[in-house]
């Protein structure tokens, strides 16, 4: 079965296939870098990461481009307030975005920055003016004439037939209910950052950035364009209008929009006190893998209500998968194969693929892997699992993790980096006891723990109980839980 995806343009689930051979060309609207990214942003970025991972797993080559909006009204305002240049102001948040993305398991797309494509944007405006679809105002700004693009509104399904010809909007913060000619290019206001270009001095509008950079990187017509649901109108509508009126071709074939994240049942907002950056959660002591797991646990078009209970449950789920993997890879099992376990592994692969092919039903894919873990665990308990079952079951776990990316236990190292960052920013007060404990527990690396366990076992076999007890106490003190099972000693972190 090929992948089926919901396409906002057709309002239907459609079969997804790239237009050019085996290569998927896709674009996602990236962050506006005036602050640290919040968990709503990361719900969207993780959903698109999951899509591109699944496309690769399905055998496609993926060319995935994301922009960084490193100039807009807010950035200019904040930079001016801080008394630094736009570049200086954004450098810190671009770096933070890269670090946060890596922390949350996002494979880095091809990143393009608005400020590095200004001349191309000016040329694009000049071409639109040549086609009489854009016009210059007395102050040197340029606007897109939406009356000149009759299918304006086709993505958001808004009817603009009664719109006011020539009414304009010159801010990025658009009035959502009325259509206006929108700014492509803004003339500089005194003291504002601007660029000298072929169409005069000024700076690009946000919508223009995405049209120019996506087509430059992916061609005039590409396969998929993604973003959060708030971008449907006006941002994506305007991208379509600009691009298609210039090229006469379908700009993007599929439009992929991620439902807005709610936090504790409400829209996230600073005034409600339910606004969290990724770093806020890590400072509270939550693991990046728990956050990623939670953000992927609800299919991207369904409402996901982020709660701290949910986050704690996500941590338990990830731990369960990691413990199972450890049990499977380090246990001693009888020789041979069990047909039931062999088919369990292959059925799980099929169920995961079918779930993700179904408009990325991540919840079903997770359910499939947990069903496998449950049945394989009971087979281990009853001695039914054989050495020959290890590889296919581990294979299914790996396949799951190619897309979900939560199994490798590098949480503590990432959390340590956040702890150091908080110190360097003078934000010690926000470092929770949970984060400190987590980082300290890792003073002992996995290799050191395993070395100590081996020593402990050797001492016990030699009936040197004083030594084995001391080693056990040391490990427990470092937050290691040790269990004696018939497969040998198993351990995990608290
Ligand atoms: P911004 O940095 O505001 O331009 O947003 C970057 C991306 O995050 C865009 O695709 C937005 O649609 C998306 N986004 C912003 N807030 C949320 C939210 N609460 N839930 C899901 N996606 C969001
Ligand atoms: Zn965009």
């Amino acid at each position: 079965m090929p992948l089926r995806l919901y396409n906002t343009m057709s309002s239907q689930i459609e079969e997804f296939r790239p237009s050019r051979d085996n290569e998927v060309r896709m674009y996602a609207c990236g962050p506006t870098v005036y602050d640290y990214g919040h968990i709503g942003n990361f719900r969207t970025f993780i959903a698109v990461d999951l899509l591109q991972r699944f496309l690769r797993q399905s055998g496609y080559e993926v060319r995935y481009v994301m922009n960084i909006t490193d100039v807009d009204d807010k950035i200019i305002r904040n930079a001016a307030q801080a008394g630094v240049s736009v570049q200086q102001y954004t450098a810190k948040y671009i770096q933070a975005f890269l670090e946060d993305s890596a922390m949350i398991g996002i494979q880095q797309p091809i990143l393009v920055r608005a400020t590095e494509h200004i001349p191309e944007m000016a040329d694009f405006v000049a071409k639109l003016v040549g086609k009489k679809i854009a016009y210059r105002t007395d102050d040197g700004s340029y606007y897109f004439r939406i009356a000149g693009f009759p299918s304006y509104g086709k993505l958001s399904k808004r009817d603009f037939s009664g719109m006011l010809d020539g009414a304009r909007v010159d801010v990025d913060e658009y009035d959502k209910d009325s259509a206006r000619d929108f700014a492509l290019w803004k003339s500089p206001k005194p003291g504002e950052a601007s660029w000298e270009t072929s169409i005069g001095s000024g700076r690009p509008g946000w919508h223009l950035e995405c049209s120019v950079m996506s087509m430059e990187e992916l061609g005039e017509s590409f396969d998929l364009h993604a973003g959060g649901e708030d971008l449907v109108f006006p941002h994506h509508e305007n991208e379509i209008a600009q691009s298609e009126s210039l090229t006469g071709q379908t700009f993007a074939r599929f439009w992929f929009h991620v439902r807005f994240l709610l936090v504790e049942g409400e829209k996230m907002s600073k005034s409600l006190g339910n606004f969290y950056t990724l770093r806020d959660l890590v400072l509270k002591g939550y693991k990046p893998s728990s956050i990623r797991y939670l953000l992927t646990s609800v299919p991207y078009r369904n409402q996901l209500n982020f709660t701290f209970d949910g986050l704690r449950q996500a941590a338990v789920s990830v731990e369960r998968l990691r413990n199972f993997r450890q049990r499977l890879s380090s246990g001693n099992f009888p020789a041979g194969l069990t047909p039931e376990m062999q088919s369990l592994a292959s059925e799980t692969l099929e169920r995961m693929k079918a779930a993700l092919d179904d408009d990325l039903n991540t919840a079903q894919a997770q359910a499939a892997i947990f069903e496998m873990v449950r049945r394989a665990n009971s087979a281990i308990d009853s001695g039914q699992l054989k050495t020959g079952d290890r590889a296919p079951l581990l294979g299914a776990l790996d396949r799951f993790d190619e897309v979900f990316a939560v199994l490798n236990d590098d949480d503590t190292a990432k959390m340590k980096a956040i702890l150091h960052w908080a110190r360097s920013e003078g934000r010690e007060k926000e470092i929770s006891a949970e984060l400190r404990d987590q980082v300290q527990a890792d003073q002992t690396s996995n290799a050191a723990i395993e070395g100590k366990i081996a020593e402990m076992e050797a001492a016990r076999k030699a009936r040197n109980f004083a030594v084995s007890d001391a080693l056990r106490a040391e490990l427990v003190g470092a937050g290691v839980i040790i269990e004696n099972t018939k497969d040998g000693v198993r351990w995990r972190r608290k």
Side-chain angles (χ1 to χ4, degrees):
M1 269 290 234
L3 171 61
R4 276 153 293 127
L5 281 181
Y6 183 82
N7 186 351
T8 310
M9 185 60 87
S10 65
S11 311
Q12 276 175 4
I13 300 217
E14 295 176 37
E15 273 189 12
F16 176 82
R17 284 205 179 80
S19 62
R20 218 191 253 174
D21 305 325
N22 203 37
E23 188 195 25
V24 175
R25 289 166 297 145
M26 57 187 270
Y27 181 90
C29 295
T32 307
V33 282
Y34 62 89
D35 206 343
Y36 295 101
H38 59 65
I39 53 176
N41 300 140
F42 282 100
R43 178 186 197 199
T44 292
F45 299 143
I46 290 174
V48 186
D49 175 65
L50 194 135
L51 167 65
Q52 69 88 22
R53 282 170 176 266
F54 182 58
L55 287 167
R56 286 179 208 276
Q57 185 175 79
S58 305
Y60 293 116
E61 276 174 33
V62 179
R63 184 166 170 81
Y64 171 27
V65 176
M66 179 188 275
N67 70 302
I68 292 183
T69 299
D70 58 354
V71 56
D72 85 334
D73 291 338
K74 230 180 245 165
I75 291 174
I76 290 177
R77 201 160 54 219
N78 290 5
Q81 261 167 23
V84 296
S85 71
V86 162
Q87 283 78 359
Q88 283 166 329
Y89 183 77
T90 55
K92 170 174 167 177
Y93 297 111
I94 292 174
Q95 183 59 27
F97 171 69
L98 297 177
E99 289 168 7
D100 287 356
S101 298
M103 173 163 79
I104 204 77
I106 290 175
Q107 289 176 336
Q108 195 176 309
I110 299 166
L111 292 170
V112 287
R113 289 198 206 175
T115 56
E116 291 175 357
H117 296 263
I118 306 279
E120 297 91 315
M121 293 176 198
D123 290 348
F124 193 101
V125 173
K127 284 187 204 150
L128 287 173
V129 172
K131 290 204 153 208
K132 306 225 172 345
I133 194 98
Y135 57 91
R136 186 175 191 273
T137 52
D138 291 343
D139 69 344
S141 295
Y142 290 82
Y143 286 83
F144 184 90
R145 188 193 313 277
I146 61 175
F149 186 68
S151 56
Y152 190 77
K154 66 179 171 181
L155 181 71
S156 56
K157 315 289 180 290
R158 288 168 192 237
D159 179 8
F160 294 111
S161 48
M163 68 200 165
L164 293 170
D165 189 14
R168 294 194 294 269
V169 60
D170 65 352
V171 285
D172 284 340
E173 293 139 26
Y174 210 88
D175 171 1
K176 298 254 172 193
D177 295 319
S178 55
R180 299 270 193 276
D181 288 358
F182 58 88
L184 293 161
W185 183 266
K186 303 182 191 192
S187 64
K189 299 207 179 81
E192 277 190 1
S194 66
W195 284 260
E196 291 303 325
T197 70
S198 57
I199 58 165
S201 72
R203 66 187 175 83
W206 171 39
H207 316 306
L208 181 69
E209 293 174 17
C210 282
S211 282
V212 172
M213 295 193 289
S214 60
M215 293 201 288
E216 218 172 82
E217 293 291 332
L218 299 172
E220 291 181 348
S221 179
F222 54 90
D223 295 308
L224 184 139
H225 195 311
E229 63 175 345
D230 60 320
L231 301 188
V232 173
F233 184 84
H235 184 54
H236 289 162
E237 201 72 74
N238 290 353
E239 283 189 45
I240 292 169
Q242 295 161 162
S243 308
E244 298 192 354
S245 58
L246 190 66
T247 68
Q249 296 189 46
T250 302
F251 173 49
R253 297 167 49 239
F254 274 76
W255 288 87
F256 179 94
H257 291 109
V258 182
R259 184 93 182 254
F260 247 43
L261 178 80
L262 297 184
V263 177
E264 308 279 0
E266 310 234 34
K267 203 171 162 197
M268 193 165 42
S269 87
K270 284 192 176 145
S271 58
L272 284 177
N274 67 349
F275 181 96
Y276 299 108
T277 65
L278 202 52
R279 291 177 188 223
D280 290 338
L281 296 183
V282 176
L283 285 172
K284 286 179 186 294
Y286 295 99
K287 295 180 182 180
S289 61
S290 316
I291 305 169
R292 181 171 171 107
Y293 189 88
L294 178 59
L295 292 180
T296 56
S297 62
V298 173
Y300 73 97
R301 284 201 300 130
N302 294 2
Q303 190 153 77
L304 166 53
N305 181 22
F306 178 96
T307 64
F308 285 96
D309 261 353
L311 196 49
R312 283 185 284 269
Q313 280 164 26
V316 171
S317 300
V318 172
E319 241 359 77
R320 188 138 188 256
L321 293 173
R322 289 179 181 174
N323 287 339
F324 172 71
R325 185 162 75 163
Q326 161 115 10
R327 185 180 195 198
L328 196 59
S329 42
S330 62
N332 292 318
F333 307 116
L337 301 172
T338 304
E340 245 178 63
M341 289 296 107
Q342 301 284 317
S343 52
L344 175 62
S346 56
E347 277 161 24
T348 305
L349 287 177
E350 281 163 26
R351 283 184 61 193
M352 287 193 302
K353 176 161 167 41
L356 295 174
D357 273 339
D358 179 15
D359 198 23
L360 300 180
N361 193 333
T362 47
Q364 288 292 330
Q366 291 176 346
I369 204 79
F370 275 99
E371 173 67 8
M372 183 187 94
V373 169
R374 191 185 63 75
R375 287 174 53 192
N377 263 328
S378 53
I380 297 178
D381 294 340
S382 62
Q384 300 289 303
L385 192 137
K386 310 279 171 60
T387 36
D389 304 328
R390 198 196 311 256
L393 291 169
L394 283 174
L397 278 175
D398 285 349
R399 196 112 177 119
F400 171 84
D401 211 47
E402 277 172 19
V403 173
F404 285 91
V406 291
L407 287 182
N408 278 342
D409 190 357
D410 47 8
D411 285 309
T412 313
K414 292 170 171 175
M415 294 171 89
K416 205 185 228 168
I418 293 297
L419 190 140
H420 289 310
W421 160 79
R423 284 194 182 130
S424 71
E425 291 274 307
R427 293 173 66 167
E428 268 97 346
K429 282 208 197 92
E430 295 170 52
I431 302 173
S432 63
E434 288 79 6
L435 176 60
R436 278 182 215 284
D437 286 354
Q438 178 76 30
V439 168
Q440 256 152 24
D442 194 61
Q443 296 312 335
T444 0
S445 68
N446 285 5
I449 292 172
E450 269 149 25
K452 287 224 169 74
I453 288 177
E455 265 180 69
M456 182 182 86
E457 281 301 280
R460 192 177 56 80
K461 281 187 188 130
R463 307 189 66 76
N464 193 346
F465 297 117
V467 171
S468 70
D469 287 351
L471 283 164
R472 177 180 287 267
E474 192 186 321
L475 286 161
V476 170
V480 178
I481 296 172
I482 301 167
E483 289 162 351
N484 293 313
T485 72
K486 62 181 171 32
D487 310 329
V489 173
R490 274 164 54 192
W491 68 272
R492 60 194 158 90
R493 290 180 203 278
K494 203 155 44 180

